[in-house]
Amino acid sequence: MLAQAATIPALVTPTGRDLLGLLPELILGAAFVLLMALDAFLPSTRRSWLAVVAFISLAAAFGASMWGWFDSGSGRTLYFGAFAYDRYSMFVNAILLVSSALVVIISPQYLNRRGIHHGEYYALILASTTGMMILAGAMNLMVIFLGIELLSISLYVLSGFSRGDERSQEAALKYLLLGGFASGFLLYGMALVYGETGHTQLAQIGLALRAAQTSSVDPLVLVGVILVFIGFAFKVSAVPFHTWTPDVYQGAPTSVTTFMSVTTKVAAFAALVRVFTYTFPYVYTHWQVIVSLVAILSMLVGNIAALTQTSLKRMLAYSGIAQAGYILIGVAVDPRVALGTIGVLYYLAAYAVTNIGAFAVITVMAGRGEDLDSYSGLRGLAFRRPYVAAAMGLFLLSLGGFPPTAGFFGKFFVFAAAIKTGLTPLAIWGIVTSAVSVFYYLRVALLMYQRPAEDEREYAWSRTSLSAGIVLAATTAGTLVLGIFVFLLYNAASAAQSGLLPAIASSSG
Amino acid sequence: MSVDTASALVILILLFPLAGAALNAVLGPRLGRGFVNLAGTLSIGAAFVVACVILGNVIAAPAGHSAVSVRLWQWLNLGSGNLSIGMDFTLDPLSALMVMVITGVGFLIHVYSVGYMEHDPGVARFFAYMNFFIFSMLTLVLAADLIILIVGWALVALSSYLLIGFWYERASAVLAARKAFITQVIGDVALVIAAFLIFLNAHTLSLPNIFARTAAFPSGGILVNGICALLAIGAFAKSAQFPLHTWLPDAMEGPTPVSALIHAATMVTAGVYLIARFHPLFNLAPIAGGMVACVGMGTALMAGIIALSQIDIKRVIAYSTMSQIGLMIYAVGIGAYSAGMFHFATHAVFKALLFMAAGNVIHSLHDEQDIRLMGGMAARMRWTHWAFLSGSLALAGIPLWAGWFSKENLLGFGTVAGPGPAPWLLYMVGVGVNVLTGLYAFRLWATVFHGEPQTARVYAAKEARNVLLVPVVILGVLSLIVAWPLQWPVPNAVRVFSDFLSPVFAGTPAGLASEPALWIAIVALVIGTLASLLGVGAAQRMWLHREPDPAAVAARLPRALPLLSYNKFYFDELYDAAFVRPVRAAARTARRVVEPDVFDGWIAGLTDLLRGFSVDLRAYQTGFIRDYAAAFTVGAVVLVVVTAVFLSR
């Protein structure tokens, strides 16, 4: 049922309004070029300046996103419908930019200590963040692909950033090959969807699906939808497309792991919600089972596999897989219920602040030349660095979903949405598996508060620097604020949800 | 007062103690004693100033507008009719009275603590806990949402636990803290179940909304009686009432300022506050109310008897606290809410005084608490002695002292209100409690301050320093005069206090809180006063002049009575036999028999299963890209097939 070719608009240049709406992305793009140029001129001892430039550009992009949030002219599309200029993308931008900025703050110290402080690091972080922001705002299948590739290619390089470290090289190669594999699935799914609806614009696809709804749905469209989902599931590391996650998280330098464990997931989920909940709601009954199935598997495998890990980074990788399962619950609920999307947004923000905090502890406590990765490295931390240990304990509680922390309300909202839409078994499954998760989170917390045995070597933690203090204080405060002043973020997430484009399904309550 | 003013006041009064706790916890150990003393006391002083402003605003409010509820923020909202929890707080005469007492008496006790904890190395921790307790207690009394109230309710239990076990290197302190906490949790569970039942029927947890929807609770029905009984169990645990009373005497393991603040003046009276706050429900529940009244009066009698024979100075005062709170619980049980609250207010003053004066004695005797080893302290601690005497007179209910006004006022209601066919019965018990109060109060006074010094330490005792003395003397004066302008036990005399609270309790039906006629009140007043005087006089004769000798009197009583009194009616032994030992035995049996044979099997099986599963999963994590790609492909094919075959119909 190839649709008749839409009238191709005459080749026109984008307007100034279009460019203005893309301001956050443009700022980061310009900063990327600037950083590459600067790196050529700066002496290698001054690399930290690059971090300052990167931070300033991230802050500027954040300011531009905030301006977009309050701009009354937002809530429209740019570039003939290919890109969304709505509060939803600004909300996601804010999470991404804050996360990147926190990573940039902790990076110089860590990279110096590992001896891998090269200038292109910051440029790559910015390029990747740009790709994520494009992904968050994409309203066209091709733009989605563009965003995914931009963020991925930068991450492939970043994963292998520790050039002398074989595991880092291996991680990069694995990520690259499997990422290419997943991109193939994604692209094939997009091709099927295009072939069946005749459109690449999300809004047009949604209308076409609505029109087709009266007749029976073509299986090929559904296969396309599922293949697109698989592409996203790879990016958010949901089971069974998660296999790369532990190896890559462990092999990559810890600051890179911090960055990608959070931002990739945020951006990919943002696009996933826009595509599935708001573009494909008319085939909801068909993909809901698949999403639920993947969610159930992710919660199960992620939590169970985390139980017997002895590496912090691998444990957090599996925990991230399980968290992806919880967030998928919010995607699986009926698109007509706003709480699902709000819950996803809340969860993403809560996950970002908590997970960055947890990884930041591992990053900033790392000793000279070696990563802080094994469980035994944390033993006794509470006696040497009481505040850092207390913060880490808080992050672990938040990951486990204890009130009054951010993580509790992330879970609360997606579970509530599931119960509201009759997916109670999914919520119960989530609660049961998070009970399992408490075991491996608290095990780490317990280690920090145990004294090392007499003959045991204590890990040589580095001193808590100012930059580390800032990041840990910010993430601690964020974890608590999102657990106590819930309305702040809830109202923002609600506003972001209400203006979400494409507005095909918004007429239904 | 406007909502904005009220919000600002609520934020300020909660923020000061919380900030004090945070500063003491984080900076205290580093900045040292001077900083800790300053931050610890000034935070409560500032809160007291705010409390005075609150009181002024509540008094100045026009009639009918004395209660202001503010919502600081919405914590949780799942849509109309669903769960909704707001950070809601209420300023009304009742909460204003509570914050005045908590911060006022609390401030004096904090000042006293500066001296009392002078040589303790953990002073920063101490003040952090104390400030945190004040914050928790204020949250509890200001809360206008049941969930927030429960949060405060649990936080005071936590602070109490931390402070009882403050000297954690003592095993007895740790055990006492644990006992207190476990007992509190029994009450917490009852309170939470009550909250569930309220929510199921009224569909709200906001206190003003609950009280506006009393139609949801049929009057006198099993539902409202059940809810009130559960609330009462919560109150009993918090206020150390029978049968959940055994933790309070043990709680004296904490430092003396803690006993004064938490286990005399404020936290233990939270149960009285809870019942007074929920009076719209208790008004509908005569059975639960009668139960409350009986338990209160029964506890008052029992604790009074026990106090007669205890030998630890702090435990005697602890039992007297239990007894006095019993009277308050009795008052709110019979619907005399403002009378109960009035006794709470005067009791906070004179009981905090008694504890702090006792603390001075203990301090000067180098931590001696056994009253048989004291005696003759009056000559050595003149000011402390006079203050203690003033507190004892107030406690015993001697005319013109504060306790007389509040206790006789309270008992006056007992002549006309009460549960069951014979409300007079409980009133008569109350008269008996008056006699007992006079007896144990002056037994303590005479044994500690008069007679021959019993040890060499007494001869070396010196008067306490000013920082320990000034708060005691201030409270000593207040114990005399505080009630004069507020409330007299004769109807239509001075009644500032009950008029102040009357907007809160306006809905109370006449049958519950009706005042006695003038002549009944006067007769009751005379009887009650005579009973108090009788108790004091008898105590003077027996323990001051030794004629008759108290030992001889005890010998002439039935043998069971002194034994029961001295052994605290064997409640600890009873609970030990009824709960602790069976549970321990069951646990041992389970450990020996049930667990290995029954549970270990399948629990080990389950954990083995999970661990095995986990290890299996690791086996799939081969590290080879070809395996990962294969897993990916299999997963994708399965999903596509599932979709294409099963779902596209």
Side-chain angles (χ1 to χ4, degrees):
Chain A
M1 58 157 223
L2 197 88
Q4 62 279 27
T7 46
I8 299 166
L11 200 61
V12 281
T13 46
T15 63
R17 274 161 62 97
D18 286 346
L19 284 173
L20 217 55
L22 269 180
L23 197 56
E25 287 84 351
L26 291 176
I27 291 173
L28 288 198
F32 170 75
V33 177
L34 178 68
L35 281 175
M36 292 303 274
L38 266 181
D39 183 36
F41 297 105
L42 268 184
S44 59
T45 48
R46 301 276 168 80
R47 292 255 161 78
S48 297
W49 290 19
L50 298 174
V52 174
V53 174
F55 181 83
I56 291 171
S57 58
L58 287 167
F62 184 83
S65 296
M66 285 301 99
W67 181 74
W69 174 274
F70 291 108
D71 179 14
S72 58
S74 73
R76 62 192 167 86
T77 55
L78 310 171
Y79 291 99
F80 323 112
F83 202 81
Y85 179 52
D86 58 2
R87 287 191 159 182
Y88 179 74
S89 47
M90 296 307 153
F91 186 95
V92 178
N93 282 357
I95 305 179
L96 291 171
L97 290 166
V98 171
S99 308
S100 304
L102 291 172
V103 170
V104 165
I105 296 175
I106 53 167
S107 290
Q109 186 203 5
Y110 173 79
L111 296 176
N112 273 328
R113 209 177 301 119
R114 288 289 309 271
I116 48 172
H117 202 177
H118 308 299
E120 60 276 23
Y121 177 88
Y122 303 102
L124 287 167
I125 293 263
L126 291 197
S128 185
T129 310
T130 314
M132 291 162 186
M133 284 161 52
I134 289 175
L135 183 57
M139 289 276 286
N140 183 305
L141 294 180
M142 287 303 99
V143 180
I144 290 176
F145 189 71
L146 183 73
I148 285 201
E149 289 308 300
L150 180 52
L151 85 86
S152 302
I153 291 169
S154 317
L155 282 179
Y156 301 151
V157 182
L158 282 170
S159 308
F161 207 72
S162 184
R163 284 168 209 164
D165 182 355
E166 265 181 29
R167 290 172 85 169
S168 178
Q169 298 304 306
E170 191 186 324
L173 189 64
K174 269 182 192 161
Y175 197 17
L176 170 68
L177 289 176
L178 288 169
F181 199 64
S183 289
F185 277 82
L186 178 69
L187 211 48
Y188 195 54
M190 287 177 171
L192 284 176
V193 170
Y194 171 72
E196 286 301 306
T197 61
H199 296 286
T200 57
Q201 304 282 54
L202 293 188
Q204 304 291 331
I205 294 171
L207 291 175
L209 288 176
R210 181 162 75 178
Q213 193 195 17
T214 45
S215 56
S216 73
V217 185
D218 194 317
L220 270 188
V221 176
L222 293 178
V223 171
V225 166
I226 296 310
L227 291 180
V228 170
F229 175 70
I230 290 171
F232 283 121
F234 174 81
K235 281 289 155 212
V236 303
S237 46
V239 178
F241 314 107
H242 68 287
T243 40
W244 58 279
T245 317
D247 295 4
V248 174
Y249 278 22
Q250 193 181 18
T254 314
S255 64
V256 174
T257 313
T258 313
F259 176 70
M260 71 173 158
S261 71
V262 166
T263 49
T264 319
K265 207 161 275 184
V266 171
F269 264 113
L272 182 64
V273 166
R274 200 191 284 279
V275 172
F276 277 77
T277 309
Y278 293 87
T279 307
F280 297 158
Y282 294 99
V283 287
Y284 162 67
T285 45
H286 300 91
W287 55 259
Q288 184 246 347
V289 178
I290 299 297
V291 175
S292 306
L293 194 67
V294 171
I296 289 170
L297 283 175
S298 303
M299 289 184 261
L300 177 72
V301 173
N303 282 318
I304 299 286
L307 288 176
T308 49
Q309 298 304 318
T310 52
S311 145
L312 280 170
K313 284 158 88 179
R314 283 185 90 85
M315 184 277 277
L316 283 172
Y318 283 110
S319 130
I321 293 167
Q323 307 277 356
Y326 298 124
I327 307 175
L328 278 174
I329 294 180
V331 182
V333 303
D334 193 323
R336 283 168 298 187
V337 175
L339 190 58
T341 304
I342 296 171
V344 169
L345 287 177
Y346 205 98
Y347 207 124
L348 288 175
Y351 176 73
V353 66
T354 309
N355 219 44
I356 285 192
F359 268 117
V361 169
I362 305 178
T363 311
V364 300
M365 286 290 110
R368 184 166 295 277
E370 58 169 344
D371 269 349
L372 168 56
D373 192 25
S374 73
Y375 276 17
S376 57
L378 276 186
R379 193 187 294 274
L381 182 69
F383 302 100
R384 294 263 182 270
R385 307 273 189 282
Y387 295 120
V388 175
M392 183 68 174
L394 183 76
F395 301 140
L396 292 167
L397 286 180
S398 178
L399 285 170
F402 281 80
T405 60
F408 171 76
F409 281 99
K411 286 199 172 72
F412 181 82
F413 288 128
V414 294
F415 291 166
I419 291 170
K420 234 178 183 175
T421 53
L423 297 180
T424 316
L426 212 50
I428 292 176
W429 185 249
I431 291 165
V432 169
T433 51
S434 43
V436 173
S437 77
V438 172
F439 173 79
Y440 58 82
Y441 290 131
L442 290 193
R443 190 167 147 209
V444 173
L446 199 65
L447 271 173
M448 296 190 300
Y449 286 86
Q450 270 174 1
R451 286 197 188 278
E454 288 292 321
D455 53 342
E456 198 174 4
R457 182 184 70 98
E458 213 174 55
Y459 187 88
W461 299 292
S462 53
R463 302 182 63 80
T464 320
S465 63
L466 176 68
S467 57
I470 290 172
V471 169
L472 292 183
T475 45
T476 306
T479 305
L480 282 175
V481 164
L482 295 193
I484 296 172
F485 301 96
V486 183
F487 69 101
L488 289 174
L489 193 75
Y490 182 87
N491 290 349
S494 182
Q497 186 276 334
S498 66
L500 217 167
L501 296 170
I504 306 161
S506 66
S507 55
S508 43
Chain B
M1 110 188 73
S2 72
V3 171
D4 288 339
T5 322
S7 311
L9 290 172
V10 167
I11 291 173
L12 282 178
I13 201 170
L14 290 175
L15 204 59
F16 280 124
L18 189 62
L23 284 177
N24 280 324
V26 178
L27 299 177
R30 244 174 260 176
L31 295 184
R33 198 168 288 272
F35 169 81
V36 168
N37 289 341
L38 219 59
T41 52
L42 284 188
S43 58
I44 308 305
F48 178 62
V49 173
V50 181
C52 293
V53 178
I54 289 176
L55 182 70
N57 270 305
V58 170
I59 291 175
H65 294 86
S66 57
V68 182
S69 281
V70 295
R71 165 161 294 180
L72 297 189
W73 70 82
Q74 176 92 42
W75 197 49
L76 199 64
N77 187 2
L78 290 182
S80 61
N82 277 320
L83 187 62
S84 159
I85 303 168
M87 283 287 174
D88 295 355
F89 295 94
T90 282
L91 294 183
D92 67 351
L94 183 57
S95 58
L97 166 72
M98 294 298 294
V99 298
M100 277 303 285
V101 172
I102 293 164
T103 57
V105 177
F107 175 63
L108 289 177
I109 296 173
H110 274 73
V111 172
Y112 176 87
S113 306
V114 170
Y116 199 85
M117 304 302 284
E118 195 179 33
H119 301 294
D120 197 291
V123 67
R125 189 163 57 93
F126 181 79
F127 273 106
Y129 291 164
M130 289 284 271
N131 287 356
F132 185 71
F133 167 76
I134 297 275
F135 163 77
S136 316
M137 189 72 199
L138 291 174
T139 308
L140 161 58
V141 299
L142 289 170
D145 189 291
L146 191 45
I147 296 294
I148 309 301
L149 189 149
I150 290 175
V151 168
W153 191 263
L155 287 183
V156 292
L158 172 67
S159 332
S160 161
Y161 168 80
L162 292 171
L163 283 165
I164 296 170
F166 179 75
W167 286 312
Y168 56 82
E169 61 279 10
R170 283 190 204 164
S172 57
V174 174
L175 286 178
R178 195 194 294 168
K179 187 173 178 181
F181 197 76
I182 290 171
T183 314
Q184 300 286 312
V185 168
I186 297 172
D188 292 353
V189 171
L191 189 56
V192 169
I193 296 174
F196 271 117
L197 289 175
I198 288 172
F199 183 76
L200 280 180
N201 290 283
H203 306 294
T204 176
L205 287 170
S206 148
L207 295 185
N209 289 346
I210 294 169
F211 301 147
R213 291 183 203 170
T214 44
F217 307 99
S219 176
I222 189 164
L223 175 70
V224 72
N225 274 307
I227 290 174
C228 286
L230 287 165
L231 290 172
I233 292 173
F236 294 164
K238 192 69 72 193
S239 292
Q241 297 296 295
F242 171 86
L244 299 172
H245 63 279
T246 53
W247 64 272
L248 184 60
D250 291 11
M252 298 300 123
E253 288 286 344
T256 304
V258 174
S259 310
L261 178 61
I262 299 183
H263 306 120
T266 53
M267 184 190 88
V268 284
T269 53
V272 184
Y273 166 79
L274 184 77
I275 295 175
R277 181 53 88 193
F278 276 88
H279 70 276
L281 296 189
F282 276 90
N283 287 343
L284 303 172
I287 300 173
M291 187 268 291
V292 169
C294 292
V295 168
M297 191 52 91
T299 309
L301 180 67
M302 176 192 75
I305 293 173
I306 297 175
L308 267 182
S309 64
Q310 296 304 302
I311 49 163
D312 181 311
I313 182 167
K314 283 177 75 181
R315 282 181 182 246
V316 175
I317 307 178
Y319 278 106
S320 100
T321 304
M322 198 189 285
S323 174
Q324 298 302 309
I325 296 173
L327 290 180
M328 300 173 211
I329 291 278
Y330 162 74
V332 293
I334 63 172
Y337 301 112
S338 77
M341 295 313 294
F342 188 47
H343 196 49
F344 148 74
T346 60
H347 174 260
V349 171
F350 64 73
K351 192 51 63 70
L353 155 69
L354 286 176
F355 265 118
M356 294 200 287
N360 283 352
V361 171
I362 296 169
H363 223 55
S364 69
L365 294 178
H366 303 286
D367 296 331
E368 183 54 69
Q369 301 198 6
D370 189 334
I371 57 173
R372 294 169 304 181
L373 304 178
M374 297 177 182
M377 296 295 290
R380 287 150 192 91
M381 306 187 75
R382 200 172 298 270
W383 286 93
T384 301
H385 165 245
W386 286 116
F388 195 94
L389 179 62
S390 171
S392 301
L393 289 167
L395 171 62
I398 299 305
L400 296 184
W401 265 269
W404 178 71
F405 292 85
S406 57
K407 208 190 300 175
E408 297 306 329
N409 182 41
L410 184 160
L411 285 176
F413 281 93
T415 56
V416 288
W424 274 84
L425 216 59
L426 282 183
Y427 167 76
M428 296 307 291
V429 179
V431 174
V433 170
N434 264 5
V435 180
L436 281 173
T437 310
L439 273 175
Y440 68 68
F442 279 83
R443 163 181 176 257
L444 187 65
W445 172 77
T447 320
V448 172
F449 288 99
H450 295 281
E452 287 301 306
Q454 301 293 315
T455 60
R457 275 191 200 170
V458 176
Y459 290 103
K462 280 202 205 60
E463 179 60 289
R465 284 167 310 110
N466 281 341
V467 65
L468 293 169
L469 210 52
V470 171
V472 174
V473 171
I474 291 176
L475 288 177
V477 174
L478 280 178
S479 296
L480 176 60
I481 64 172
V482 72
W484 292 353
L486 292 178
Q487 182 86 13
W488 287 21
V490 182
N492 304 322
V494 177
R495 45 180 308 148
V496 174
F497 188 88
S498 55
D499 285 346
F500 173 65
L501 283 185
S502 64
V504 180
F505 303 121
T508 304
L512 266 175
S514 56
E515 292 193 347
L518 186 61
W519 70 271
I520 298 183
I522 289 176
V523 170
L525 183 62
V526 171
I527 295 175
T529 310
L530 284 177
S532 300
L533 289 172
L534 174 70
V536 174
Q540 297 273 22
R541 288 187 64 87
M542 287 201 289
W543 280 285
L544 205 56
H545 306 299
R546 299 275 158 187
E547 46 188 46
D549 190 64
V553 177
R556 252 182 292 154
L557 290 171
R559 257 181 59 83
L561 212 55
L563 267 180
L564 282 176
S565 168
Y566 183 75
N567 291 303
K568 303 165 279 185
F569 286 82
Y570 296 98
F571 271 109
D572 279 328
E573 288 77 5
L574 184 70
Y575 289 171
D576 197 51
F579 302 113
V580 181
R581 276 167 201 279
V583 169
R584 280 225 186 103
R588 265 197 304 274
T589 317
R591 181 85 194 81
R592 253 201 334 268
V593 183
V594 184
E595 198 177 318
D597 298 349
V598 184
F599 287 105
D600 267 4
W602 67 265
I603 287 180
L606 186 66
T607 45
D608 282 353
L609 190 75
L610 287 180
R611 189 176 297 127
F613 189 18
S614 186
V615 172
D616 287 350
L617 284 174
R618 289 177 74 169
Y620 284 101
Q621 201 70 32
T622 54
F624 290 116
I625 295 175
R626 55 172 183 269
D627 295 339
Y628 293 179
F632 191 119
T633 314
V634 169
V637 168
V638 168
L639 290 191
V640 169
V641 168
V642 167
T643 315
V645 175
F646 296 104
L647 297 173
S648 60
R649 269 164 293 153

